């Protein structure tokens, strides 16, 4: 009986879509870089960046979608939401890559660009979740913008508490925070517009608010 298991395993692997491996690679890269930051905290690019806090919280983004789908989505015979999963993990991976490569300190515009890009991806992930419900374009757009605004504010509060308060960056934190919030809101708006136009067209059945099942 056991002789057929390896062949079955190979067949199962071959049937997995390419997006599965992209999803897996994204999460593996995130975990690997976080482990590097934890094991090598003395590296200069990680100093004062609250990497321990990132290592403790960022992996949550990698397990939310699998757990949610296992508990609810699979019972409704829905395909696994790879797009949602990847979009949710990417902002955290990009942030860790930026720290690992010291981009925040070596490139002046990286922080602003990072907030615009990452909040665009994060809100796009939110949109991938919302389009599964019969909310309509206006409600979906409002919820996406609200999600982007609230999470951007919470992020800035977290940054202040973890490594800005009492540090050398406190004097310039106000200007930096305004730039980060502007970038986050801009990225959120771009993701919202794309979701209720292009994404909506491909993921909703024509003339309805029903999500495509295939």
């Amino acid at each position: 009986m056991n002789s057929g298991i390896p062949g079955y395993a190979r067949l199962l692997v071959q049937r997995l879509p390419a997006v599965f491996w992209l999803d897996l690679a994204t999460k593996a890269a995130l975990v690997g870089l976080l482990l590097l930051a934890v094991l090598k905290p003395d590296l200069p690019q990680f100093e004062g960046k609250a990497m321990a806090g990132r290592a403790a919280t960022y992996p949550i983004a990698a397990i939310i979608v699998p757990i949610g789908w296992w508990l609810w989505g699979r019972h409704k015979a829905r395909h696994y939401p790879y797009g949602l999963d990847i979009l949710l993990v990417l902002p955290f991976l990009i942030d860790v890559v930026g720290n690992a490569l010291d981009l925040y300190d070596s490139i002046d515009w990286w922080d602003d660009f990072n907030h615009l890009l990452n909040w665009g991806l994060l809100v796009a992930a939110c949109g991938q979740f919302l389009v599964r419900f019969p909310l309509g374009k206006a409600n979906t757009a409002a919820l996406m913008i609200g999600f982007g605004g609230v999470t951007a504010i919470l992020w800035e509060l977290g940054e202040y508490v973890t490594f800005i308060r009492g540090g050398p960056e406190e004097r310039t934190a106000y200007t930096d925070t305004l730039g980060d919030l502007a970038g986050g809101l801009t990225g959120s708006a771009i993701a919202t517009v794309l979701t209720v136009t292009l994404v909506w067209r491909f993921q909703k059945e024509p003339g309805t608010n029903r999500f495509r099942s295939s």
Side-chain angles (χ1 to χ4, degrees):
M1 294 179 65
N2 294 333
S3 59
I5 293 178
Y8 175 77
R10 286 196 300 270
L11 181 61
L12 181 62
V13 169
Q14 291 172 357
R15 288 181 176 177
L16 291 172
V19 70
F20 166 85
W21 300 108
L22 176 61
D23 192 9
L24 185 63
T26 302
K27 294 181 179 184
L30 173 64
V31 173
L33 288 173
L34 289 173
L35 284 175
L36 174 65
V38 171
L39 296 176
K40 298 289 185 178
D42 54 331
L43 291 176
Q45 63 265 41
F46 295 138
E47 292 182 2
K49 302 298 184 181
M51 295 309 297
R54 285 175 161 86
T57 57
Y58 280 17
I60 296 174
I63 63 174
I64 287 179
V65 175
I67 291 176
W69 181 82
W70 180 261
L71 293 176
W72 296 289
R74 69 188 181 96
H75 299 298
K76 298 179 180 179
R78 288 180 175 174
H79 294 290
Y80 187 81
Y82 289 109
L84 167 58
D85 202 9
I86 294 171
L87 285 171
L88 183 60
V89 176
L90 271 178
F92 300 95
L93 173 59
I94 292 172
D95 177 63
V96 177
V97 168
N99 281 288
L101 298 180
D102 200 26
L103 299 180
Y104 286 100
D105 294 328
S106 61
I107 301 178
D108 293 336
W109 49 264
W110 174 256
D111 183 58
D112 293 331
F113 173 75
N114 183 73
H115 278 267
L116 187 151
L117 175 63
N118 281 352
W119 253 265
L121 294 170
L122 189 64
V123 173
C126 174
Q128 283 287 302
F129 175 73
L130 292 176
V131 296
R132 289 165 164 76
F133 301 95
L135 296 172
K137 291 185 178 182
N139 289 331
T140 300
L143 288 170
M144 290 178 68
I145 289 291
F147 174 80
V150 170
T151 51
I153 292 171
L154 291 175
W155 179 269
E156 293 303 317
L157 289 173
E159 277 194 345
Y160 179 78
V161 170
T162 53
F163 62 86
I164 291 179
R165 182 177 56 180
E169 297 181 10
E170 190 171 20
R171 290 180 299 176
T172 60
Y174 182 71
T175 301
D176 181 68
T177 296
L178 289 178
D180 292 347
L181 290 175
L185 185 59
T186 301
S188 299
I190 293 172
T192 298
V193 171
L194 291 176
T195 297
V196 298
T197 54
L198 297 178
V199 175
W200 198 276
R201 184 181 308 168
F202 289 107
Q203 293 193 295
K204 290 291 187 176
E205 294 180 1
T208 74
N209 280 327
R210 293 193 300 272
F211 184 73
R212 295 183 188 272
S213 60
S214 60

